[in-house]
mmCIF file of all heavy atoms in Angstrom:
data_model
loop_
_atom_site.group_PDB
_atom_site.id
_atom_site.type_symbol
_atom_site.label_atom_id
_atom_site.label_comp_id
_atom_site.label_asym_id
_atom_site.label_seq_id
_atom_site.Cartn_x
_atom_site.Cartn_y
_atom_site.Cartn_z
ATOM 1 N N ALA A 238 0.833 -1.206 0.000
ATOM 2 C CA ALA A 238 0.000 0.000 0.000
ATOM 3 C C ALA A 238 0.869 1.259 0.000
ATOM 4 O O ALA A 238 0.567 2.223 -0.709
ATOM 5 C CB ALA A 238 -0.944 -0.016 1.200
ATOM 6 N N LEU A 239 1.931 1.246 0.775
ATOM 7 C CA LEU A 239 2.856 2.381 0.814
ATOM 8 C C LEU A 239 3.450 2.638 -0.566
ATOM 9 O O LEU A 239 3.488 3.782 -1.037
ATOM 10 C CB LEU A 239 3.964 2.125 1.835
ATOM 11 C CG LEU A 239 5.066 3.170 1.926
ATOM 12 C CD1 LEU A 239 4.535 4.502 2.422
ATOM 13 C CD2 LEU A 239 6.180 2.663 2.846
ATOM 14 N N GLY A 240 3.892 1.592 -1.237
ATOM 15 C CA GLY A 240 4.464 1.739 -2.573
ATOM 16 C C GLY A 240 3.452 2.247 -3.589
ATOM 17 O O GLY A 240 3.761 3.115 -4.416
ATOM 18 N N LEU A 241 2.238 1.718 -3.521
ATOM 19 C CA LEU A 241 1.190 2.172 -4.438
ATOM 20 C C LEU A 241 0.862 3.641 -4.203
ATOM 21 O O LEU A 241 0.678 4.414 -5.156
ATOM 22 C CB LEU A 241 -0.075 1.321 -4.271
ATOM 23 C CG LEU A 241 0.012 -0.128 -4.740
ATOM 24 C CD1 LEU A 241 -1.194 -0.924 -4.230
ATOM 25 C CD2 LEU A 241 0.100 -0.194 -6.263
ATOM 26 N N ALA A 242 0.781 4.044 -2.939
ATOM 27 C CA ALA A 242 0.477 5.435 -2.615
ATOM 28 C C ALA A 242 1.613 6.367 -3.034
ATOM 29 O O ALA A 242 1.378 7.454 -3.558
ATOM 30 C CB ALA A 242 0.189 5.579 -1.123
ATOM 31 N N ARG A 243 2.838 5.928 -2.816
ATOM 32 C CA ARG A 243 3.992 6.751 -3.192
ATOM 33 C C ARG A 243 4.042 6.944 -4.701
ATOM 34 O O ARG A 243 4.245 8.045 -5.195
ATOM 35 C CB ARG A 243 5.289 6.114 -2.712
ATOM 36 C CG ARG A 243 6.524 6.968 -3.014
ATOM 37 C CD ARG A 243 7.811 6.256 -2.618
ATOM 38 N NE ARG A 243 7.813 5.861 -1.243
ATOM 39 C CZ ARG A 243 8.472 6.494 -0.272
ATOM 40 N NH1 ARG A 243 9.173 7.566 -0.537
ATOM 41 N NH2 ARG A 243 8.439 6.040 0.961
ATOM 42 N N ALA A 244 3.811 5.863 -5.452
ATOM 43 C CA ALA A 244 3.883 5.938 -6.908
ATOM 44 C C ALA A 244 2.732 6.737 -7.512
ATOM 45 O O ALA A 244 2.928 7.490 -8.468
ATOM 46 C CB ALA A 244 3.906 4.531 -7.503
ATOM 47 N N SER A 245 1.546 6.588 -6.953
ATOM 48 C CA SER A 245 0.366 7.246 -7.529
ATOM 49 C C SER A 245 0.114 8.637 -6.958
ATOM 50 O O SER A 245 -0.638 9.415 -7.545
ATOM 51 C CB SER A 245 -0.884 6.395 -7.282
ATOM 52 O OG SER A 245 -1.215 6.374 -5.903
ATOM 53 N N ARG A 246 0.731 8.912 -5.800
ATOM 54 C CA ARG A 246 0.483 10.167 -5.066
ATOM 55 C C ARG A 246 -0.995 10.327 -4.708
ATOM 56 O O ARG A 246 -1.510 11.420 -4.612
ATOM 57 C CB ARG A 246 0.995 11.369 -5.850
ATOM 58 C CG ARG A 246 2.479 11.348 -6.053
ATOM 59 C CD ARG A 246 2.989 12.656 -6.584
ATOM 60 N NE ARG A 246 4.433 12.644 -6.563
ATOM 61 C CZ ARG A 246 5.177 12.825 -7.630
ATOM 62 N NH1 ARG A 246 4.623 13.030 -8.797
ATOM 63 N NH2 ARG A 246 6.473 12.829 -7.525
ATOM 64 N N ARG A 247 -1.661 9.191 -4.547
ATOM 65 C CA ARG A 247 -3.071 9.161 -4.161
ATOM 66 C C ARG A 247 -3.179 8.333 -2.885
ATOM 67 O O ARG A 247 -2.342 7.474 -2.626
ATOM 68 C CB ARG A 247 -3.914 8.508 -5.262
ATOM 69 C CG ARG A 247 -3.842 9.232 -6.594
ATOM 70 C CD ARG A 247 -4.612 8.490 -7.670
ATOM 71 N NE ARG A 247 -6.045 8.493 -7.439
ATOM 72 C CZ ARG A 247 -6.855 9.496 -7.775
ATOM 73 N NH1 ARG A 247 -6.371 10.562 -8.345
ATOM 74 N NH2 ARG A 247 -8.144 9.403 -7.560
ATOM 75 N N PRO A 248 -4.221 8.561 -2.100
ATOM 76 C CA PRO A 248 -4.389 7.733 -0.905
ATOM 77 C C PRO A 248 -4.662 6.278 -1.279
ATOM 78 O O PRO A 248 -5.394 5.999 -2.231
ATOM 79 C CB PRO A 248 -5.604 8.356 -0.203
ATOM 80 C CG PRO A 248 -6.305 9.162 -1.230
ATOM 81 C CD PRO A 248 -5.283 9.546 -2.259
ATOM 82 N N VAL A 249 -4.045 5.390 -0.546
ATOM 83 C CA VAL A 249 -4.263 3.950 -0.699
ATOM 84 C C VAL A 249 -4.589 3.399 0.681
ATOM 85 O O VAL A 249 -3.895 3.698 1.651
ATOM 86 C CB VAL A 249 -3.027 3.240 -1.291
ATOM 87 C CG1 VAL A 249 -3.215 1.726 -1.302
ATOM 88 C CG2 VAL A 249 -2.741 3.747 -2.708
ATOM 89 N N ALA A 250 -5.642 2.609 0.749
ATOM 90 C CA ALA A 250 -6.038 2.002 2.024
ATOM 91 C C ALA A 250 -5.419 0.623 2.157
ATOM 92 O O ALA A 250 -5.317 -0.121 1.186
ATOM 93 C CB ALA A 250 -7.563 1.883 2.102
ATOM 94 N N VAL A 251 -5.016 0.301 3.377
ATOM 95 C CA VAL A 251 -4.635 -1.060 3.717
ATOM 96 C C VAL A 251 -5.603 -1.486 4.806
ATOM 97 O O VAL A 251 -5.752 -0.806 5.818
ATOM 98 C CB VAL A 251 -3.146 -1.183 4.119
ATOM 99 C CG1 VAL A 251 -2.775 -0.266 5.260
ATOM 100 C CG2 VAL A 251 -2.778 -2.629 4.427
ATOM 101 N N VAL A 252 -6.304 -2.589 4.577
ATOM 102 C CA VAL A 252 -7.407 -3.024 5.430
ATOM 103 C C VAL A 252 -7.033 -4.329 6.118
ATOM 104 O O VAL A 252 -6.686 -5.313 5.450
ATOM 105 C CB VAL A 252 -8.696 -3.206 4.585
ATOM 106 C CG1 VAL A 252 -9.856 -3.668 5.461
ATOM 107 C CG2 VAL A 252 -9.047 -1.929 3.838
ATOM 108 N N THR A 253 -7.100 -4.322 7.460
ATOM 109 C CA THR A 253 -6.760 -5.527 8.223
ATOM 110 C C THR A 253 -7.835 -5.808 9.267
ATOM 111 O O THR A 253 -8.737 -5.009 9.488
ATOM 112 C CB THR A 253 -5.419 -5.378 8.972
ATOM 113 O OG1 THR A 253 -5.573 -4.448 10.037
ATOM 114 C CG2 THR A 253 -4.302 -4.968 8.058
ATOM 115 N N THR A 254 -7.658 -6.926 9.926
ATOM 116 C CA THR A 254 -8.479 -7.248 11.081
ATOM 117 C C THR A 254 -7.851 -6.576 12.299
ATOM 118 O O THR A 254 -7.058 -5.655 12.162
ATOM 119 C CB THR A 254 -8.600 -8.773 11.274
ATOM 120 O OG1 THR A 254 -7.290 -9.303 11.454
ATOM 121 C CG2 THR A 254 -9.251 -9.437 10.093
ATOM 122 N N SER A 255 -8.155 -7.054 13.479
ATOM 123 C CA SER A 255 -7.753 -6.384 14.710
ATOM 124 C C SER A 255 -6.466 -6.943 15.307
ATOM 125 O O SER A 255 -5.896 -7.910 14.814
ATOM 126 C CB SER A 255 -8.886 -6.498 15.730
ATOM 127 O OG SER A 255 -9.175 -7.853 15.981
ATOM 128 N N GLY A 256 -6.048 -6.301 16.392
ATOM 129 C CA GLY A 256 -4.945 -6.798 17.206
ATOM 130 C C GLY A 256 -3.597 -6.780 16.540
ATOM 131 O O GLY A 256 -3.175 -5.775 15.993
ATOM 132 N N THR A 257 -2.905 -7.904 16.586
ATOM 133 C CA THR A 257 -1.556 -7.958 16.035
ATOM 134 C C THR A 257 -1.558 -7.774 14.522
ATOM 135 O O THR A 257 -0.552 -7.346 13.958
ATOM 136 C CB THR A 257 -0.855 -9.285 16.395
ATOM 137 O OG1 THR A 257 -1.638 -10.373 15.926
ATOM 138 C CG2 THR A 257 -0.653 -9.400 17.899
ATOM 139 N N ALA A 258 -2.669 -8.059 13.861
ATOM 140 C CA ALA A 258 -2.753 -7.799 12.420
ATOM 141 C C ALA A 258 -2.530 -6.312 12.163
ATOM 142 O O ALA A 258 -1.744 -5.930 11.291
ATOM 143 C CB ALA A 258 -4.111 -8.241 11.880
ATOM 144 N N ALA A 259 -3.190 -5.475 12.942
ATOM 145 C CA ALA A 259 -3.027 -4.028 12.797
ATOM 146 C C ALA A 259 -1.620 -3.594 13.197
ATOM 147 O O ALA A 259 -1.021 -2.728 12.554
ATOM 148 C CB ALA A 259 -4.073 -3.308 13.636
ATOM 149 N N ALA A 260 -1.076 -4.187 14.238
ATOM 150 C CA ALA A 260 0.264 -3.824 14.705
ATOM 151 C C ALA A 260 1.324 -4.073 13.640
ATOM 152 O O ALA A 260 2.323 -3.345 13.570
ATOM 153 C CB ALA A 260 0.598 -4.595 15.977
ATOM 154 N N ASN A 261 1.116 -5.037 12.784
ATOM 155 C CA ASN A 261 2.070 -5.330 11.722
ATOM 156 C C ASN A 261 2.138 -4.240 10.654
ATOM 157 O O ASN A 261 3.046 -4.225 9.842
ATOM 158 C CB ASN A 261 1.740 -6.680 11.066
ATOM 159 C CG ASN A 261 2.304 -7.818 11.856
ATOM 160 O OD1 ASN A 261 3.519 -7.953 11.984
ATOM 161 N ND2 ASN A 261 1.435 -8.628 12.421
ATOM 162 N N LEU A 262 1.197 -3.306 10.672
ATOM 163 C CA LEU A 262 1.221 -2.171 9.741
ATOM 164 C C LEU A 262 2.132 -1.052 10.225
ATOM 165 O O LEU A 262 2.448 -0.132 9.469
ATOM 166 C CB LEU A 262 -0.194 -1.602 9.553
ATOM 167 C CG LEU A 262 -1.249 -2.524 8.974
ATOM 168 C CD1 LEU A 262 -2.571 -1.778 8.879
ATOM 169 C CD2 LEU A 262 -0.825 -3.055 7.614
ATOM 170 N N HIS A 263 2.546 -1.105 11.481
ATOM 171 C CA HIS A 263 3.267 0.012 12.082
ATOM 172 C C HIS A 263 4.488 0.473 11.288
ATOM 173 O O HIS A 263 4.647 1.689 11.082
ATOM 174 C CB HIS A 263 3.630 -0.321 13.522
ATOM 175 C CG HIS A 263 3.873 0.896 14.351
ATOM 176 N ND1 HIS A 263 4.946 1.005 15.193
ATOM 177 C CD2 HIS A 263 3.192 2.067 14.455
ATOM 178 C CE1 HIS A 263 4.915 2.184 15.786
ATOM 179 N NE2 HIS A 263 3.861 2.844 15.355
ATOM 180 N N PRO A 264 5.364 -0.414 10.814
ATOM 181 C CA PRO A 264 6.518 0.075 10.048
ATOM 182 C C PRO A 264 6.115 0.862 8.794
ATOM 183 O O PRO A 264 6.692 1.914 8.510
ATOM 184 C CB PRO A 264 7.275 -1.213 9.671
ATOM 185 C CG PRO A 264 6.862 -2.202 10.705
ATOM 186 C CD PRO A 264 5.429 -1.872 11.027
ATOM 187 N N ALA A 265 5.131 0.391 8.067
ATOM 188 C CA ALA A 265 4.690 1.098 6.860
ATOM 189 C C ALA A 265 4.020 2.422 7.218
ATOM 190 O O ALA A 265 4.207 3.426 6.524
ATOM 191 C CB ALA A 265 3.745 0.226 6.042
ATOM 192 N N VAL A 266 3.253 2.442 8.304
ATOM 193 C CA VAL A 266 2.609 3.682 8.747
ATOM 194 C C VAL A 266 3.669 4.718 9.124
ATOM 195 O O VAL A 266 3.563 5.898 8.772
ATOM 196 C CB VAL A 266 1.643 3.413 9.928
ATOM 197 C CG1 VAL A 266 1.183 4.707 10.576
ATOM 198 C CG2 VAL A 266 0.450 2.590 9.457
ATOM 199 N N LEU A 267 4.713 4.289 9.820
ATOM 200 C CA LEU A 267 5.800 5.204 10.182
ATOM 201 C C LEU A 267 6.483 5.764 8.940
ATOM 202 O O LEU A 267 6.723 6.968 8.847
ATOM 203 C CB LEU A 267 6.831 4.499 11.066
ATOM 204 C CG LEU A 267 6.423 4.222 12.501
ATOM 205 C CD1 LEU A 267 7.472 3.355 13.193
ATOM 206 C CD2 LEU A 267 6.200 5.513 13.252
ATOM 207 N N GLU A 268 6.812 4.898 7.993
ATOM 208 C CA GLU A 268 7.465 5.369 6.770
ATOM 209 C C GLU A 268 6.581 6.339 6.009
ATOM 210 O O GLU A 268 7.049 7.355 5.497
ATOM 211 C CB GLU A 268 7.872 4.192 5.887
ATOM 212 C CG GLU A 268 9.057 3.447 6.443
ATOM 213 C CD GLU A 268 9.773 2.597 5.411
ATOM 214 O OE1 GLU A 268 9.712 2.922 4.201
ATOM 215 O OE2 GLU A 268 10.391 1.614 5.831
ATOM 216 N N ALA A 269 5.288 6.034 5.918
ATOM 217 C CA ALA A 269 4.353 6.929 5.230
ATOM 218 C C ALA A 269 4.301 8.289 5.920
ATOM 219 O O ALA A 269 4.318 9.333 5.252
ATOM 220 C CB ALA A 269 2.965 6.293 5.171
ATOM 221 N N ALA A 270 4.249 8.279 7.236
ATOM 222 C CA ALA A 270 4.171 9.538 7.985
ATOM 223 C C ALA A 270 5.417 10.386 7.747
ATOM 224 O O ALA A 270 5.315 11.592 7.506
ATOM 225 C CB ALA A 270 3.994 9.252 9.477
ATOM 226 N N HIS A 271 6.586 9.774 7.799
ATOM 227 C CA HIS A 271 7.836 10.518 7.624
ATOM 228 C C HIS A 271 7.998 11.038 6.200
ATOM 229 O O HIS A 271 8.600 12.090 5.989
ATOM 230 C CB HIS A 271 9.034 9.654 8.010
ATOM 231 C CG HIS A 271 9.083 9.346 9.472
ATOM 232 N ND1 HIS A 271 9.094 10.309 10.459
ATOM 233 C CD2 HIS A 271 9.099 8.166 10.125
ATOM 234 C CE1 HIS A 271 9.123 9.747 11.646
ATOM 235 N NE2 HIS A 271 9.127 8.432 11.470
ATOM 236 N N ALA A 272 7.459 10.319 5.229
ATOM 237 C CA ALA A 272 7.612 10.702 3.821
ATOM 238 C C ALA A 272 6.427 11.507 3.290
ATOM 239 O O ALA A 272 6.434 11.929 2.136
ATOM 240 C CB ALA A 272 7.807 9.442 2.970
#
């Protein structure tokens, strides 16, 4: 999702279930925020 959003310059959603599934998005969320 991060790569698609970076390339398109459009919002891209990544959809997960709860708990640790969501926690696994943290590295990509951090990179997106910084960039």
Side-chain angles (χ1 to χ4, degrees):
L239 176 65
L241 291 167
R243 183 184 304 257
S245 68
R246 297 191 171 122
R247 300 176 68 83
V249 174
V251 56
V252 180
T253 70
T254 59
S255 59
T257 57
N261 277 295
L262 299 180
H263 202 226
V266 169
L267 287 172
E268 287 199 27
H271 293 304

